[in-house]
Amino acid sequence: MRRRSPIALDFGTQAVTALQVEDHAGAVVVRAAARIRLPTAGTAVVDDDARHREWCAAAATALQAAPFRGRTVASAFDLATVATRHVRVPLDALDDAGNRIAAQIQAQDGDGEVSICPVTVADLYEQGERKREFLCCVAPTRAIERRIALLEQLRCRPHAIELAPLAMVRALQFGGGDSFAHLDVGAEDSRITFVRSGQPLMVRPVRHGGDRCRTLLEERLGLDLLALQTLGTAAPDDQALAAAAIEAALAEPLEAIAARIAEGIRYCGALFGGRAVTALRVTGRTAHLPGFVTGLGRRVGLTTELADPFDGIDPGPLATATATQRTGYATALGLCLGGLAA
């Protein structure tokens, strides 16, 4: 028996990515995939209405470009839209947890109308009291309404709207319950998500993304990303030289990312009385540059590896895509897997 996921639409600043998978008796197979680059990709500032129109046009093209079935859609917000807050509630007050969480978040964020989705992180002992910590995803109601309107304009039915980093880690732990940190190097910035035994603990932004790395590489090495990625497939000696040069050119962003990861490791370790993260998994086009992952691994002191979101999944029409191309589908794949599990 085959089960089909909702269509995942990932609305990014560079492109709209669409994906749909099927479950064939436990084997997950990609049914359809498309990625449409936005006309203003790389532009510093795009107003909300113009971006909405671009997203709508690109998504309509993507849905026609591949054999997607149905009109039920899952999508996601990034950290530019959704804030994350950590709230602790006494165990003896869990029956009133919703009101307590709302009151604390309102006190922090003001009076704007928001939607709050709490995720249990851990039970802990604080100042003589047992408490439960929640990771709360806080989205403006207006942003949710605009996303629903966008999907309805595409004649689609909204299935779920998730936080993109949480959807991504679902793709990276398909079939397992590992403890790891995930770094996704986006175009404008990056995101770090900490996971313990399959449970997301914390999400943090890092203001160093692929665009900043590309600028540094062009200024310091005089080569663009494509040329540098090509060096990564050259002879071993050339690969080693390219890796060393790239790591040196990207010293500042690598140090900043490593420092942010170290902060998260310390926080998670404090929650659980010891190290809660044992490995670092990295996605994003820039992460495929020679020297990026090894340089980062030396700085964080963890086993660090490029993650393939499609490990254990039949990529179907993406079988001929490069690993660099497939990494851009991580959010969409996580959304699809969440839809299959619902």
Short mmCIF file of all heavy atoms in Angstrom, two decimals, residues 252-318:
data_model
loop_
_atom_site.label_atom_id
_atom_site.label_comp_id
_atom_site.label_asym_id
_atom_site.label_seq_id
_atom_site.Cartn_x
_atom_site.Cartn_y
_atom_site.Cartn_z
N GLU A 252 36.96 33.98 9.99
CA GLU A 252 36.03 34.75 10.84
C GLU A 252 34.66 34.09 10.97
O GLU A 252 34.18 33.88 12.09
CB GLU A 252 35.88 36.19 10.32
CG GLU A 252 37.14 37.01 10.45
CD GLU A 252 37.93 37.02 9.15
OE1 GLU A 252 37.92 35.99 8.43
OE2 GLU A 252 38.55 38.06 8.87
N PRO A 253 33.98 33.73 9.86
CA PRO A 253 32.69 33.06 10.03
C PRO A 253 32.79 31.70 10.72
O PRO A 253 31.92 31.34 11.51
CB PRO A 253 32.14 32.93 8.61
CG PRO A 253 33.27 33.20 7.70
CD PRO A 253 34.22 34.07 8.44
N LEU A 254 33.86 30.95 10.45
CA LEU A 254 34.03 29.66 11.12
C LEU A 254 34.18 29.84 12.62
O LEU A 254 33.59 29.08 13.41
CB LEU A 254 35.23 28.91 10.55
CG LEU A 254 35.07 28.33 9.14
CD1 LEU A 254 36.40 27.77 8.64
CD2 LEU A 254 33.99 27.25 9.11
N GLU A 255 34.93 30.84 13.05
CA GLU A 255 35.09 31.11 14.48
C GLU A 255 33.76 31.52 15.11
O GLU A 255 33.43 31.09 16.22
CB GLU A 255 36.14 32.20 14.69
CG GLU A 255 37.56 31.80 14.33
CD GLU A 255 38.16 30.81 15.32
OE1 GLU A 255 37.57 30.59 16.40
OE2 GLU A 255 39.23 30.24 15.01
N ALA A 256 33.01 32.38 14.41
CA ALA A 256 31.73 32.84 14.95
C ALA A 256 30.73 31.69 15.08
O ALA A 256 30.01 31.57 16.08
CB ALA A 256 31.15 33.95 14.06
N ILE A 257 30.67 30.83 14.07
CA ILE A 257 29.77 29.69 14.12
C ILE A 257 30.18 28.73 15.23
O ILE A 257 29.34 28.23 16.00
CB ILE A 257 29.75 28.97 12.75
CG1 ILE A 257 29.08 29.86 11.70
CG2 ILE A 257 29.01 27.64 12.86
CD1 ILE A 257 29.23 29.34 10.28
N ALA A 258 31.48 28.46 15.33
CA ALA A 258 31.97 27.55 16.38
C ALA A 258 31.66 28.09 17.77
O ALA A 258 31.28 27.32 18.67
CB ALA A 258 33.47 27.34 16.22
N ALA A 259 31.79 29.40 17.96
CA ALA A 259 31.49 29.99 19.27
C ALA A 259 30.02 29.83 19.61
O ALA A 259 29.66 29.54 20.76
CB ALA A 259 31.88 31.47 19.27
N ARG A 260 29.16 29.99 18.62
CA ARG A 260 27.71 29.84 18.85
C ARG A 260 27.36 28.39 19.18
O ARG A 260 26.53 28.12 20.04
CB ARG A 260 26.96 30.29 17.60
CG ARG A 260 25.50 30.55 17.78
CD ARG A 260 25.24 31.72 18.68
NE ARG A 260 23.90 32.27 18.46
CZ ARG A 260 23.23 32.93 19.37
NH1 ARG A 260 23.78 33.14 20.57
NH2 ARG A 260 22.04 33.42 19.11
N ILE A 261 28.02 27.45 18.51
CA ILE A 261 27.79 26.04 18.80
C ILE A 261 28.26 25.72 20.22
O ILE A 261 27.57 25.00 20.96
CB ILE A 261 28.52 25.16 17.77
CG1 ILE A 261 27.86 25.32 16.39
CG2 ILE A 261 28.48 23.69 18.19
CD1 ILE A 261 28.62 24.67 15.27
N ALA A 262 29.40 26.26 20.62
CA ALA A 262 29.93 26.02 21.97
C ALA A 262 28.96 26.54 23.03
O ALA A 262 28.76 25.89 24.07
CB ALA A 262 31.30 26.67 22.12
N GLU A 263 28.35 27.70 22.80
CA GLU A 263 27.36 28.24 23.73
C GLU A 263 26.20 27.26 23.90
O GLU A 263 25.74 26.99 25.03
CB GLU A 263 26.82 29.57 23.22
CG GLU A 263 27.80 30.72 23.25
CD GLU A 263 27.22 31.97 22.60
OE1 GLU A 263 26.03 31.95 22.23
OE2 GLU A 263 27.95 32.96 22.45
N GLY A 264 25.71 26.73 22.79
CA GLY A 264 24.59 25.80 22.85
C GLY A 264 24.96 24.50 23.54
O GLY A 264 24.16 23.94 24.29
N ILE A 265 26.17 24.01 23.30
CA ILE A 265 26.63 22.78 23.95
C ILE A 265 26.67 22.97 25.47
O ILE A 265 26.25 22.09 26.23
CB ILE A 265 28.00 22.35 23.40
CG1 ILE A 265 27.85 21.87 21.95
CG2 ILE A 265 28.61 21.26 24.27
CD1 ILE A 265 29.17 21.59 21.28
N ARG A 266 27.17 24.13 25.90
CA ARG A 266 27.22 24.39 27.34
C ARG A 266 25.81 24.45 27.94
O ARG A 266 25.56 23.90 29.03
CB ARG A 266 27.96 25.71 27.60
CG ARG A 266 29.47 25.61 27.40
CD ARG A 266 30.18 26.81 27.98
NE ARG A 266 29.81 28.05 27.30
CZ ARG A 266 30.44 28.54 26.24
NH1 ARG A 266 31.47 27.88 25.72
NH2 ARG A 266 30.08 29.69 25.70
N TYR A 267 24.88 25.08 27.24
CA TYR A 267 23.51 25.18 27.76
C TYR A 267 22.86 23.80 27.85
O TYR A 267 22.26 23.44 28.86
CB TYR A 267 22.68 26.10 26.86
CG TYR A 267 21.27 26.34 27.37
CD1 TYR A 267 21.02 27.32 28.31
CD2 TYR A 267 20.21 25.57 26.91
CE1 TYR A 267 19.74 27.55 28.79
CE2 TYR A 267 18.93 25.78 27.38
CZ TYR A 267 18.70 26.78 28.32
OH TYR A 267 17.42 26.98 28.79
N CYS A 268 22.99 23.02 26.79
CA CYS A 268 22.39 21.68 26.78
C CYS A 268 23.06 20.79 27.83
O CYS A 268 22.39 19.98 28.49
CB CYS A 268 22.52 21.05 25.39
SG CYS A 268 21.58 21.92 24.11
N GLY A 269 24.37 20.95 28.00
CA GLY A 269 25.07 20.17 29.02
C GLY A 269 24.58 20.51 30.42
O GLY A 269 24.45 19.63 31.28
N ALA A 270 24.30 21.81 30.65
CA ALA A 270 23.79 22.21 31.96
C ALA A 270 22.41 21.62 32.23
O ALA A 270 22.08 21.25 33.36
CB ALA A 270 23.74 23.73 32.04
N LEU A 271 21.59 21.51 31.19
CA LEU A 271 20.26 20.94 31.36
C LEU A 271 20.32 19.48 31.80
O LEU A 271 19.51 19.03 32.62
CB LEU A 271 19.47 21.03 30.04
CG LEU A 271 18.83 22.36 29.67
CD1 LEU A 271 18.12 22.23 28.33
CD2 LEU A 271 17.83 22.82 30.74
N PHE A 272 21.27 18.75 31.25
CA PHE A 272 21.28 17.30 31.46
C PHE A 272 22.46 16.82 32.30
O PHE A 272 22.72 15.62 32.37
CB PHE A 272 21.26 16.59 30.10
CG PHE A 272 20.01 16.86 29.32
CD1 PHE A 272 20.00 17.80 28.31
CD2 PHE A 272 18.83 16.21 29.62
CE1 PHE A 272 18.84 18.07 27.59
CE2 PHE A 272 17.67 16.47 28.92
CZ PHE A 272 17.68 17.40 27.90
N GLY A 273 23.19 17.75 32.89
CA GLY A 273 24.27 17.35 33.79
C GLY A 273 25.43 16.68 33.10
O GLY A 273 26.12 15.85 33.68
N GLY A 274 25.67 17.01 31.86
CA GLY A 274 26.78 16.42 31.11
C GLY A 274 26.59 16.69 29.64
O GLY A 274 25.62 17.33 29.22
N ARG A 275 27.50 16.22 28.81
CA ARG A 275 27.43 16.49 27.38
C ARG A 275 26.18 15.85 26.76
O ARG A 275 25.98 14.63 26.88
CB ARG A 275 28.68 15.99 26.67
CG ARG A 275 28.64 16.14 25.16
CD ARG A 275 29.99 16.01 24.52
NE ARG A 275 30.81 17.19 24.75
CZ ARG A 275 31.96 17.42 24.10
NH1 ARG A 275 32.42 16.54 23.23
NH2 ARG A 275 32.66 18.51 24.36
N ALA A 276 25.36 16.68 26.12
CA ALA A 276 24.13 16.19 25.51
C ALA A 276 24.24 16.10 23.99
O ALA A 276 23.33 15.62 23.33
CB ALA A 276 22.96 17.12 25.88
N VAL A 277 25.35 16.56 23.43
CA VAL A 277 25.56 16.58 21.99
C VAL A 277 26.86 15.85 21.69
O VAL A 277 27.90 16.15 22.28
CB VAL A 277 25.63 18.02 21.46
CG1 VAL A 277 25.98 18.04 19.98
CG2 VAL A 277 24.31 18.76 21.70
N THR A 278 26.83 14.89 20.78
CA THR A 278 28.01 14.08 20.51
C THR A 278 28.55 14.26 19.10
O THR A 278 29.63 13.76 18.78
CB THR A 278 27.70 12.60 20.72
OG1 THR A 278 26.61 12.22 19.86
CG2 THR A 278 27.30 12.33 22.17
N ALA A 279 27.81 14.94 18.22
CA ALA A 279 28.26 15.10 16.83
C ALA A 279 27.64 16.36 16.24
O ALA A 279 26.63 16.88 16.74
CB ALA A 279 27.88 13.88 16.00
N LEU A 280 28.24 16.83 15.15
CA LEU A 280 27.74 17.99 14.42
C LEU A 280 27.47 17.56 12.98
O LEU A 280 28.37 17.02 12.32
CB LEU A 280 28.75 19.13 14.47
CG LEU A 280 28.44 20.38 13.62
CD1 LEU A 280 27.15 21.05 14.11
CD2 LEU A 280 29.61 21.36 13.66
N ARG A 281 26.25 17.80 12.51
CA ARG A 281 25.89 17.49 11.14
C ARG A 281 25.61 18.81 10.41
O ARG A 281 24.94 19.68 10.95
CB ARG A 281 24.66 16.58 11.09
CG ARG A 281 24.90 15.25 11.80
CD ARG A 281 23.68 14.38 11.87
NE ARG A 281 23.96 13.17 12.63
CZ ARG A 281 23.05 12.26 12.96
NH1 ARG A 281 21.78 12.41 12.59
NH2 ARG A 281 23.39 11.20 13.66
N VAL A 282 26.13 18.93 9.20
CA VAL A 282 26.11 20.21 8.49
C VAL A 282 25.44 20.05 7.14
O VAL A 282 25.68 19.08 6.42
CB VAL A 282 27.55 20.75 8.30
CG1 VAL A 282 27.52 22.18 7.77
CG2 VAL A 282 28.34 20.68 9.60
N THR A 283 24.57 21.02 6.81
CA THR A 283 23.95 21.07 5.49
C THR A 283 24.11 22.48 4.93
O THR A 283 24.49 23.40 5.63
CB THR A 283 22.45 20.71 5.56
OG1 THR A 283 21.80 21.60 6.50
CG2 THR A 283 22.23 19.28 5.98
N GLY A 284 23.79 22.63 3.65
CA GLY A 284 23.89 23.92 2.99
C GLY A 284 24.94 23.88 1.89
O GLY A 284 25.96 23.18 2.01
N ARG A 285 24.70 24.64 0.85
CA ARG A 285 25.60 24.60 -0.31
C ARG A 285 27.03 24.97 0.08
O ARG A 285 27.99 24.32 -0.34
CB ARG A 285 25.08 25.56 -1.39
CG ARG A 285 25.90 25.57 -2.65
CD ARG A 285 25.37 26.56 -3.66
NE ARG A 285 26.20 26.60 -4.85
CZ ARG A 285 26.05 27.47 -5.85
NH1 ARG A 285 25.10 28.38 -5.77
NH2 ARG A 285 26.85 27.44 -6.90
N THR A 286 27.18 26.01 0.87
CA THR A 286 28.53 26.47 1.25
C THR A 286 29.28 25.41 2.03
O THR A 286 30.51 25.30 1.95
CB THR A 286 28.43 27.76 2.07
OG1 THR A 286 27.75 28.76 1.30
CG2 THR A 286 29.80 28.28 2.46
N ALA A 287 28.54 24.58 2.80
CA ALA A 287 29.18 23.55 3.61
C ALA A 287 29.91 22.51 2.76
O ALA A 287 30.77 21.79 3.26
CB ALA A 287 28.15 22.87 4.49
N HIS A 288 29.58 22.43 1.46
CA HIS A 288 30.21 21.45 0.58
C HIS A 288 31.55 21.94 0.03
O HIS A 288 32.22 21.20 -0.70
CB HIS A 288 29.27 21.09 -0.57
CG HIS A 288 28.14 20.21 -0.14
ND1 HIS A 288 28.10 18.85 -0.40
CD2 HIS A 288 27.01 20.49 0.55
CE1 HIS A 288 26.99 18.34 0.12
NE2 HIS A 288 26.31 19.31 0.69
N LEU A 289 31.94 23.16 0.38
CA LEU A 289 33.25 23.63 -0.03
C LEU A 289 34.35 22.84 0.69
O LEU A 289 34.22 22.57 1.88
CB LEU A 289 33.41 25.11 0.29
CG LEU A 289 32.60 26.10 -0.55
CD1 LEU A 289 32.70 27.49 0.06
CD2 LEU A 289 33.11 26.10 -1.99
N PRO A 290 35.42 22.48 -0.01
CA PRO A 290 36.52 21.79 0.69
C PRO A 290 37.07 22.66 1.81
O PRO A 290 37.25 23.86 1.65
CB PRO A 290 37.56 21.58 -0.42
CG PRO A 290 37.18 22.52 -1.52
CD PRO A 290 35.71 22.70 -1.43
N GLY A 291 37.29 22.05 2.96
CA GLY A 291 37.85 22.76 4.10
C GLY A 291 36.83 23.32 5.06
O GLY A 291 37.17 23.61 6.22
N PHE A 292 35.58 23.49 4.65
CA PHE A 292 34.59 24.10 5.53
C PHE A 292 34.27 23.18 6.71
O PHE A 292 34.38 23.59 7.88
CB PHE A 292 33.31 24.42 4.76
CG PHE A 292 32.32 25.24 5.54
CD1 PHE A 292 32.27 26.62 5.39
CD2 PHE A 292 31.43 24.65 6.44
CE1 PHE A 292 31.37 27.39 6.11
CE2 PHE A 292 30.54 25.40 7.17
CZ PHE A 292 30.50 26.78 7.01
N VAL A 293 33.89 21.95 6.44
CA VAL A 293 33.49 21.04 7.51
C VAL A 293 34.68 20.65 8.38
O VAL A 293 34.59 20.62 9.62
CB VAL A 293 32.79 19.79 6.92
CG1 VAL A 293 32.65 18.69 7.97
CG2 VAL A 293 31.41 20.17 6.38
N THR A 294 35.83 20.36 7.76
CA THR A 294 37.00 19.97 8.57
C THR A 294 37.48 21.14 9.43
O THR A 294 37.86 20.95 10.59
CB THR A 294 38.14 19.49 7.67
OG1 THR A 294 38.42 20.48 6.68
CG2 THR A 294 37.78 18.18 6.99
N GLY A 295 37.44 22.36 8.88
CA GLY A 295 37.84 23.53 9.66
C GLY A 295 36.90 23.79 10.82
O GLY A 295 37.34 24.14 11.92
N LEU A 296 35.62 23.60 10.58
CA LEU A 296 34.64 23.78 11.65
C LEU A 296 34.81 22.70 12.72
O LEU A 296 34.75 22.98 13.92
CB LEU A 296 33.22 23.74 11.07
CG LEU A 296 32.08 24.05 12.03
CD1 LEU A 296 32.23 25.44 12.63
CD2 LEU A 296 30.74 23.92 11.30
N GLY A 297 35.04 21.46 12.28
CA GLY A 297 35.21 20.36 13.23
C GLY A 297 36.39 20.58 14.16
O GLY A 297 36.31 20.26 15.36
N ARG A 298 37.48 21.12 13.64
CA ARG A 298 38.64 21.41 14.50
C ARG A 298 38.30 22.45 15.56
O ARG A 298 38.82 22.40 16.68
CB ARG A 298 39.81 21.89 13.64
CG ARG A 298 40.65 20.78 13.05
CD ARG A 298 41.94 21.32 12.50
NE ARG A 298 41.74 22.07 11.26
CZ ARG A 298 41.75 21.50 10.06
NH1 ARG A 298 41.94 20.20 9.95
NH2 ARG A 298 41.58 22.23 8.97
N ARG A 299 37.42 23.36 15.23
CA ARG A 299 37.10 24.45 16.15
C ARG A 299 36.08 24.04 17.22
O ARG A 299 36.12 24.56 18.33
CB ARG A 299 36.57 25.65 15.36
CG ARG A 299 37.67 26.39 14.59
CD ARG A 299 37.10 27.34 13.55
NE ARG A 299 38.14 28.21 12.98
CZ ARG A 299 38.95 27.85 12.01
NH1 ARG A 299 38.86 26.63 11.50
NH2 ARG A 299 39.86 28.70 11.56
N VAL A 300 35.18 23.12 16.90
CA VAL A 300 34.14 22.75 17.87
C VAL A 300 34.52 21.51 18.69
O VAL A 300 33.91 21.25 19.73
CB VAL A 300 32.76 22.53 17.20
CG1 VAL A 300 32.29 23.80 16.52
CG2 VAL A 300 32.81 21.38 16.20
N GLY A 301 35.48 20.74 18.22
CA GLY A 301 35.89 19.56 18.97
C GLY A 301 34.88 18.43 18.96
O GLY A 301 34.87 17.60 19.88
N LEU A 302 34.02 18.39 17.95
CA LEU A 302 33.05 17.31 17.79
C LEU A 302 33.27 16.60 16.46
O LEU A 302 33.80 17.20 15.52
CB LEU A 302 31.61 17.85 17.81
CG LEU A 302 31.05 18.43 19.10
CD1 LEU A 302 29.66 19.00 18.83
CD2 LEU A 302 30.99 17.38 20.20
N THR A 303 32.85 15.35 16.38
CA THR A 303 32.81 14.68 15.09
C THR A 303 31.88 15.47 14.19
O THR A 303 30.71 15.69 14.52
CB THR A 303 32.27 13.25 15.24
OG1 THR A 303 33.15 12.51 16.11
CG2 THR A 303 32.18 12.55 13.90
N THR A 304 32.39 15.95 13.06
CA THR A 304 31.65 16.85 12.19
C THR A 304 31.59 16.25 10.79
O THR A 304 32.61 15.82 10.25
CB THR A 304 32.32 18.24 12.15
OG1 THR A 304 32.42 18.74 13.48
CG2 THR A 304 31.52 19.22 11.30
N GLU A 305 30.40 16.24 10.22
CA GLU A 305 30.23 15.60 8.91
C GLU A 305 29.19 16.32 8.08
O GLU A 305 28.26 16.94 8.62
CB GLU A 305 29.81 14.14 9.09
CG GLU A 305 28.48 13.98 9.80
CD GLU A 305 28.09 12.53 10.04
OE1 GLU A 305 28.90 11.65 9.72
OE2 GLU A 305 26.97 12.30 10.53
N LEU A 306 29.36 16.25 6.77
CA LEU A 306 28.31 16.70 5.87
C LEU A 306 27.15 15.73 5.98
O LEU A 306 27.35 14.50 5.96
CB LEU A 306 28.82 16.72 4.42
CG LEU A 306 29.56 17.96 3.95
CD1 LEU A 306 30.15 17.70 2.57
CD2 LEU A 306 28.64 19.16 3.92
N ALA A 307 25.96 16.25 6.13
CA ALA A 307 24.79 15.38 6.26
C ALA A 307 24.06 15.29 4.93
O ALA A 307 23.88 16.29 4.24
CB ALA A 307 23.84 15.95 7.32
N ASP A 308 23.66 14.09 4.58
CA ASP A 308 22.85 13.86 3.38
C ASP A 308 21.41 13.65 3.81
O ASP A 308 21.07 12.60 4.39
CB ASP A 308 23.36 12.65 2.62
CG ASP A 308 22.55 12.37 1.35
OD1 ASP A 308 21.63 13.16 1.04
OD2 ASP A 308 22.83 11.36 0.68
N PRO A 309 20.52 14.62 3.59
CA PRO A 309 19.13 14.46 4.03
C PRO A 309 18.44 13.24 3.42
O PRO A 309 17.45 12.74 3.97
CB PRO A 309 18.46 15.76 3.55
CG PRO A 309 19.57 16.72 3.35
CD PRO A 309 20.75 15.90 2.93
N PHE A 310 18.97 12.76 2.29
CA PHE A 310 18.32 11.65 1.60
C PHE A 310 18.94 10.29 1.92
O PHE A 310 18.68 9.31 1.23
CB PHE A 310 18.32 11.91 0.09
CG PHE A 310 17.41 13.04 -0.31
CD1 PHE A 310 17.88 14.33 -0.31
CD2 PHE A 310 16.09 12.81 -0.65
CE1 PHE A 310 17.05 15.39 -0.64
CE2 PHE A 310 15.25 13.85 -0.99
CZ PHE A 310 15.73 15.16 -0.98
N ASP A 311 19.76 10.23 2.97
CA ASP A 311 20.32 8.96 3.40
C ASP A 311 19.19 8.02 3.81
O ASP A 311 18.40 8.34 4.70
CB ASP A 311 21.28 9.19 4.56
CG ASP A 311 22.01 7.92 4.97
OD1 ASP A 311 22.15 7.02 4.13
OD2 ASP A 311 22.42 7.84 6.15
N GLY A 312 19.10 6.86 3.18
CA GLY A 312 18.04 5.90 3.50
C GLY A 312 16.74 6.16 2.76
O GLY A 312 15.74 5.48 3.00
N ILE A 313 16.72 7.14 1.86
CA ILE A 313 15.52 7.49 1.10
C ILE A 313 15.84 7.39 -0.38
O ILE A 313 16.90 7.84 -0.84
CB ILE A 313 15.04 8.91 1.46
CG1 ILE A 313 14.53 8.93 2.91
CG2 ILE A 313 13.96 9.41 0.51
CD1 ILE A 313 14.14 10.28 3.41
N ASP A 314 14.94 6.81 -1.15
CA ASP A 314 15.11 6.72 -2.60
C ASP A 314 14.88 8.11 -3.18
O ASP A 314 13.77 8.64 -3.12
CB ASP A 314 14.11 5.73 -3.17
CG ASP A 314 14.29 5.48 -4.66
OD1 ASP A 314 14.88 6.36 -5.34
OD2 ASP A 314 13.82 4.45 -5.16
N PRO A 315 15.91 8.74 -3.77
CA PRO A 315 15.75 10.12 -4.23
C PRO A 315 14.93 10.28 -5.51
O PRO A 315 14.61 11.40 -5.90
CB PRO A 315 17.20 10.59 -4.46
CG PRO A 315 17.94 9.33 -4.78
CD PRO A 315 17.28 8.25 -3.96
N GLY A 316 14.59 9.17 -6.17
CA GLY A 316 13.73 9.25 -7.35
C GLY A 316 14.27 10.23 -8.38
O GLY A 316 15.40 10.08 -8.86
N PRO A 317 13.50 11.27 -8.72
CA PRO A 317 13.96 12.22 -9.75
C PRO A 317 15.18 13.02 -9.35
O PRO A 317 15.79 13.68 -10.19
CB PRO A 317 12.74 13.14 -9.93
CG PRO A 317 11.96 13.01 -8.67
CD PRO A 317 12.15 11.59 -8.23
N LEU A 318 15.57 12.96 -8.07
CA LEU A 318 16.77 13.67 -7.62
C LEU A 318 18.01 12.76 -7.63
O LEU A 318 19.07 13.17 -7.15
CB LEU A 318 16.57 14.22 -6.21
CG LEU A 318 15.52 15.34 -6.07
CD1 LEU A 318 15.34 15.72 -4.61
CD2 LEU A 318 15.91 16.55 -6.91
#
